[in-house]
Amino acid sequence: MTNNVVITVSCGTDDPNRATRAIHLATVAHREGRNVTLFLLDEAVYLAKEGLLENLKAATGDSADDLMTYLQANGVPILACTPCAKARRITDADLIEGARMGTAVELINLIADAAVINL
């Protein structure tokens, strides 16, 4: 069994519950000692844009901002799909600390040896 977990999420502020849950699961996996990567696709690239998580919460009360802060503080890779971000006019300069652009090739290589959770 692999120790690698890749969480892909394609929703952002359009679905705060699922978006926050993805960040929550990444946090839980990291706390359980897994090698975690959070890969943001489609609308989820907004989750990596500076200042957008401050008011994003799940119905459970979980705060996306607090959870993302944990991931950032612990060096969990946060990758935003490059073409998805560019289509939404998000640049490298717009990204939160610890996030970077990522490619489809990187995603495929990451998931080749990982448990994958898609939200």
Side-chain angles (χ1 to χ4, degrees):
M1 182 166 135
T2 182
N3 198 41
N4 302 319
V5 176
V6 176
I7 298 177
T8 63
V9 59
S10 60
C11 59
T13 56
D14 58 325
D15 191 339
N17 285 313
R18 281 182 47 217
T20 302
R21 192 59 50 228
I23 301 167
H24 177 250
L25 290 173
T27 300
V28 170
H30 183 268
R31 286 181 176 154
E32 289 297 311
R34 305 292 181 186
N35 300 317
V36 180
T37 301
L38 181 63
F39 203 101
L40 310 172
L41 298 158
D42 301 323
E43 293 299 304
V45 296
Y46 287 116
L47 301 175
K49 189 171 179 184
E50 188 68 48
L52 285 185
L53 290 182
E54 294 169 4
N55 297 308
L56 194 68
K57 294 185 187 283
T60 58
D62 291 322
S63 165
D65 194 32
D66 293 343
L67 295 164
M68 189 67 85
T69 298
Y70 172 88
L71 297 180
Q72 291 171 281
N74 287 281
V76 172
I78 304 161
L79 282 68
C81 167
T82 301
C84 301
K86 290 183 188 251
R88 290 160 179 83
R89 298 178 190 236
I90 297 172
T91 67
D92 290 318
D94 297 319
L95 299 178
I96 59 175
E97 183 180 332
R100 68 174 179 80
M101 299 291 186
T103 66
V105 170
E106 286 180 274
L107 177 58
I108 296 302
N109 287 331
L110 284 167
I111 66 174
D113 181 35
V116 180
I117 299 171
N118 297 301
L119 293 162

